[in-house]
Amino acid sequence: NRSRRSLSVNGCGDEGIVALARALQSNTTLVSLDIEDNAICDVGATALAQGLTHNVALEKLDLHNNGIGPAGAKALGRALAANASLKTLMLTFNQVADDGAYHLAESLKSNSALETLSLASNDIGPDGADWLSFALETNNTLRTLLLSDNSVGSLGAASLADALSLNSSLETLYLSFNEIGTLGTKRLANGLKRNSALRDLGLGVNSMGDSGAKEMATLLRSSTTLESLDVTYNDIGSEGYAALETAMQRNTTLLKLRTSGKRRAFRELITRNRDQLHERLMACLRTIGREGGSVLWGRVKLAVVGPTGSGKSSTVRSLLGELGDAAYSPTSAAFTRTIDCTTWSEVGPITERDILHSAQVAAARRVWEHRAESSASTPSPATSKRKSMASALRRSLSGALRRPSPRLDQKLPIIADDNLVGVEPSELVDYRHKSRPCESLAVWDMSGDPETFLALQDSLFDQEEGMVLLCVALQDLLEEDEEGEEGRVERVKAQLVSWRDTLMACARDRPVIVAATHADTVAGVEGLDRANELLASLLLGLRLVPDPVSKRVFYPVDNLRGSANRAAALRSALKRQARALPIAAVPIQLAWLRVLYSLVSVESSEVHIQLVTSIAARYGVQHGHVHEMLAALHARGVVLRCEDTVILDPNRLFAQLSPRESFRAALEAHLDALVEGPPDL
């Protein structure tokens, strides 16, 4: 359902671009659009910018070689300030110049989605570099900035150097063909000494000479983050190359070095660095696999609430790319499911792949933070012999996770050695980028009755660490009362006020995202604005998350029709807010995930705390940390803790209780029974 289109060298013309831009405003499936070499100029760029302002799905836009000048860049800058989906914007070979760079830089101060920006070959000078530098001081999402073949000079390089000393997100910067010279190179080297984010730096064809090469050598001697450096065609002589070679003898992190001389010597040093890195990564991964450690899991709890008939379950299906069910079937208590925030598909509570992925991310982070085990250094022949003996022992224990252990207190590896077979060390280099807080949502689709929600909240749910998705049916809120249904609209308003009061009581500080269902029934912008005023008034006091594009307090969703990507804006809002929650960045122990994986394999909806403690002991979790482990899993909505009982399958429990007349009474009676007579081991 995610599509890509290339219209490069297609002669679109002004009319074609205007039509395309109009379609972009409502399109929810196109994620990549290539319009390079179409001479759309400022008129076309302005039209596209209008489409981008309202678009919620496009992630990549290529406008390479289109004659776009400052006016077009200004329009695109305004669009970027409002757009929350575009990740890559390619403006190579245009005529943006300093004025256009200013407007794009201004948008970067507020934009939180763009990750790659190419302004190569755009007649940008020192002033333009200045504006971009100011933006880089505060922007924390842009990862790649391409400025090759401009005229930023030494002054522009100095501004960028000052920004790099403050920036913590930019990872790639290309400045080849920019007349930086020796002075600009020196300023960049000094700025990068205070930078811990940049990985890839391109400085080819900048006349740095031997003096500039010596400055870069000074940087390489102390750098622990730079991985790729291009200094080709820079008039570097024997003194400069000698300084670089001496620096490389000490540097252990550079994995790619492009020069115009002494390539063989540098190739050998780079190969040494790569081999050592791979050894450290694999050794660290194996250590984590045996012993565990802190990892970022990124599971966040989401409560889906709202009046009965507001489309809660249909909205969850929209997040999954499924059409809503026109046959209305209300949720009687609650229904839980787990949604992957990358693929927006339903997944299990935890898989072996989740555990291995968490370990890989942790290993890559440890190595780059220079906290790898000392045993991960290059092995001597003696240590190689010891390692071969250890490998034989590990092979004899391979598959231990799959075989029943004769003793419950016997400690098992977190990840069996045979699970690591096939892991390519070179792939681990990229895993430090793959840990984004909030990778999945534990979704709790709640009953439309606030009393049922409060019963769950008081006994089990605990909304302190999650966020809320509040569903509202717009047609019920805005339509006039029909004959025989007098007072219906007022009842809907009263229900919303009741939900507001409920959330104020138990989730006052949680972010609340409002999904406005049946938005297609609302007539035009005036209707949406009227709905916005009503909801802002009725929900006053809640921590509402506004739509960054429309500035309204709700996200419109049509659950019964449209594309599988129709909830793109709502998805982005959920993911953005989930990443901002403190709990998303709180690490947990890898061994806890292993315990959880073992627990969900148990054929029971409820287990006694003693069984949890026994399983935890097998993976090295001490008895005193079991309560902390369960609290962390509970806060993420994965399991529920009730006295000495751990509930693994809430859906089965709710199915048993929901037909009762009073859900609260039935739930309390069931929990009391668990306390008096917990499940057998």
Side-chain angles (χ1 to χ4, degrees):
N1 295 311
R2 291 160 60 86
S3 60
R4 292 168 171 79
R5 291 290 181 270
S6 176
L7 299 175
S8 61
V9 199
N10 211 32
C12 291
D14 289 348
E15 291 185 5
I17 290 297
V18 170
L20 179 63
R22 192 178 301 117
L24 271 181
Q25 295 187 29
S26 57
N27 182 279
T28 58
T29 59
L30 192 68
V31 295
S32 178
L33 180 59
D34 180 354
I35 319 180
E36 64 176 289
D37 294 311
N38 270 288
I40 67 172
C41 301
D42 288 339
V43 174
T46 302
L48 284 172
Q50 184 65 25
L52 275 180
T53 301
H54 300 282
N55 183 275
V56 296
L58 195 68
E59 297 177 1
K60 180 179 179 180
L61 178 61
D62 191 342
L63 297 175
H64 179 109
N65 193 25
N66 267 296
I68 298 172
K74 181 178 181 179
L76 289 170
R78 284 199 301 266
L80 283 178
N83 183 279
S85 66
L86 196 70
K87 297 179 180 178
T88 301
L89 177 60
M90 308 299 288
L91 287 170
T92 310
F93 282 115
N94 281 288
Q95 298 151 22
V96 166
D98 288 344
D99 288 345
Y102 164 77
H103 295 293
L104 292 169
E106 285 296 297
S107 72
L108 290 178
K109 293 179 180 179
S110 57
N111 180 280
S112 60
L114 197 69
E115 296 179 359
T116 299
L117 175 62
S118 175
L119 293 173
S121 305
N122 262 288
D123 299 325
I124 295 174
D127 290 342
D130 244 356
W131 297 122
L132 291 168
S133 299
F134 291 145
L136 287 177
E137 290 180 5
T138 55
N139 180 282
N140 59 6
T141 54
L142 193 70
R143 296 184 178 276
T144 300
L145 179 59
L146 309 180
L147 288 173
S148 296
D149 192 23
N150 282 293
S151 304
V152 304
S154 59
L155 292 177
S159 298
L160 289 168
D162 291 340
L164 288 174
S165 66
L166 300 172
N167 182 275
S168 60
S169 64
L170 195 70
E171 296 175 352
T172 299
L173 177 62
Y174 285 0
L175 289 170
S176 298
F177 292 95
N178 262 293
E179 305 168 16
I180 289 174
T182 300
L183 182 58
T185 304
K186 181 177 181 179
R187 289 295 299 272
L188 280 171
N190 289 335
L192 285 173
K193 290 175 184 176
R194 300 187 296 276
N195 178 281
S196 60
L198 199 73
R199 313 286 181 188
D200 188 356
L201 178 62
L203 293 175
V205 198
N206 271 300
S207 304
M208 66 172 63
D210 283 345
S211 298
K214 291 177 181 178
E215 296 294 340
M216 294 311 299
T218 302
L219 170 65
L220 289 178
R221 280 197 294 271
S222 59
S223 173
T224 58
T225 56
L226 198 64
E227 298 166 17
S228 178
L229 176 64
D230 179 5
V231 291
T232 51
Y233 303 106
N234 265 296
D235 303 324
I236 300 174
S238 56
E239 290 186 17
Y241 282 127
L244 287 171
E245 186 175 3
T246 301
M248 281 300 300
Q249 296 289 347
R250 295 182 54 181
N251 180 283
T252 60
T253 60
L254 201 70
L255 305 176
K256 184 177 181 181
L257 177 60
R258 295 187 61 194
T259 67
S260 301
K262 300 198 74 172
R263 294 178 180 174
R264 181 175 179 178
F266 290 126
R267 190 181 304 119
E268 292 176 354
L269 292 168
I270 290 296
T271 300
R272 176 209 64 187
N273 283 359
R274 288 179 177 173
D275 290 345
Q276 291 180 355
L277 171 64
H278 291 169
E279 282 192 31
R280 288 196 296 271
L281 284 167
M282 285 305 295
C284 192
L285 179 57
R286 291 185 185 278
T287 299
I288 290 174
R290 290 192 303 270
E291 303 174 4
S294 296
V295 298
L296 285 177
W297 188 28
R299 177 70 55 84
V300 170
K301 182 166 53 179
L302 172 68
V304 183
V305 303
T308 301
S310 59
K312 298 183 293 297
S313 299
S314 294
T315 299
V316 174
R317 285 193 285 269
S318 289
L319 292 175
L320 291 166
E322 304 168 0
L323 285 176
D325 187 358
Y328 171 60
S329 178
T331 303
S332 53
F335 187 81
T336 68
R337 58 204 307 182
T338 305
I339 297 180
D340 185 299
C341 288
T342 302
T343 62
W344 290 101
S345 58
E346 187 168 5
V347 295
I350 190 167
T351 64
E352 286 276 7
R353 182 60 191 164
D354 292 334
I355 299 171
L356 182 57
H357 175 269
S358 298
Q360 290 170 327
V361 171
R365 283 191 162 197
R366 281 193 190 182
V367 169
W368 259 267
E369 292 172 2
H370 305 281
R371 291 189 284 112
E373 303 288 341
S374 59
S375 60
S377 58
T378 305
S380 64
T383 57
S384 295
K385 183 176 181 180
R386 288 195 297 272
K387 284 189 175 182
S388 65
M389 295 173 63
S391 297
L393 178 61
R394 283 197 300 271
R395 283 195 298 271
S396 69
L397 295 175
S398 67
L401 288 180
R402 299 178 179 85
R403 295 197 299 268
S405 175
R407 294 177 54 193
L408 284 177
D409 60 347
Q410 178 183 359
K411 183 177 177 181
L412 296 177
I414 308 302
I415 303 174
D417 205 53
D418 57 337
N419 288 79
L420 303 180
V421 175
V423 175
E424 291 294 331
S426 57
E427 295 177 0
L428 290 176
V429 173
D430 296 325
Y431 266 94
R432 67 188 182 278
H433 305 303
K434 292 187 178 180
S435 180
R436 299 284 187 268
C438 185
E439 297 171 344
S440 56
L441 296 172
V443 178
W444 284 65
D445 182 3
M446 297 290 193
S447 163
D449 177 22
E451 280 300 314
T452 299
F453 175 76
L454 284 174
L456 287 169
Q457 170 71 23
D458 294 343
S459 304
L460 295 174
F461 186 66
D462 182 16
Q463 186 54 37
E464 291 182 4
E465 300 292 350
M467 58 182 182
V468 177
L469 176 61
L470 174 60
C471 295
V472 180
L474 284 192
Q475 87 277 22
D476 292 341
L477 188 65
L478 296 178
E479 288 180 359
E480 299 294 333
D481 289 338
E482 297 180 4
E483 186 176 349
E485 294 186 358
E486 289 77 8
R488 181 175 60 85
V489 174
E490 291 304 317
R491 286 195 296 273
V492 171
K493 292 180 181 179
Q495 288 174 344
L496 282 177
V497 171
S498 177
W499 270 108
R500 179 201 65 191
D501 295 343
T502 299
L503 294 175
M504 288 284 287
C506 61
R508 186 185 189 95
D509 297 325
R510 298 296 96 212
V512 178
I513 298 172
V514 179
T517 61
H518 303 289
D520 59 309
T521 64
V522 178
V525 175
E526 291 184 1
L528 293 174
D529 288 343
R530 180 178 163 224
N532 185 61
E533 292 178 6
L534 272 172
L535 288 173
S537 173
L538 291 171
L539 303 177
L540 185 66
L542 294 178
R543 186 181 154 193
L544 300 180
V545 178
D547 183 340
V549 177
S550 68
K551 310 303 181 185
R552 299 187 182 102
V553 298
F554 62 84
Y555 292 78
V557 181
D558 179 13
N559 291 323
L560 298 180
R561 66 186 71 182
S563 71
N565 202 33
R566 63 191 173 280
L570 183 59
R571 288 174 174 176
S572 297
L574 289 170
K575 195 169 184 177
R576 186 168 58 251
Q577 287 303 312
R579 286 179 175 178
L581 290 176
I583 194 172
V586 174
I588 66 174
Q589 294 299 309
L590 185 63
W592 297 356
L593 299 184
R594 182 75 261 181
V595 174
L596 175 62
Y597 181 77
S598 298
L599 284 174
V600 297
S601 303
V602 175
E603 291 295 328
S604 175
S605 60
E606 302 153 358
V607 296
H608 192 272
I609 188 68
Q610 291 180 16
L611 178 60
V612 178
T613 302
S614 299
I615 293 175
R618 298 169 67 187
Y619 298 106
V621 180
Q622 297 179 2
H623 184 276
H625 292 160
V626 171
H627 294 283
E628 181 186 357
M629 173 187 72
L630 290 174
L633 297 177
H634 186 120
R636 290 164 173 81
V638 184
V639 300
L640 300 178
R641 170 77 185 279
C642 175
E643 299 292 339
D644 288 336
T645 300
V646 178
I647 299 173
L648 304 176
D649 188 355
N651 289 336
R652 193 183 302 182
L653 170 64
F654 299 149
Q656 295 172 359
L657 302 179
S658 56
R660 313 285 180 85
E661 290 185 4
S662 171
F663 179 79
R664 178 184 286 273
L667 178 62
E668 290 176 351
H670 183 80
L671 297 180
D672 288 342
L674 290 180
V675 174
E676 294 173 2
D680 294 332
L681 284 177

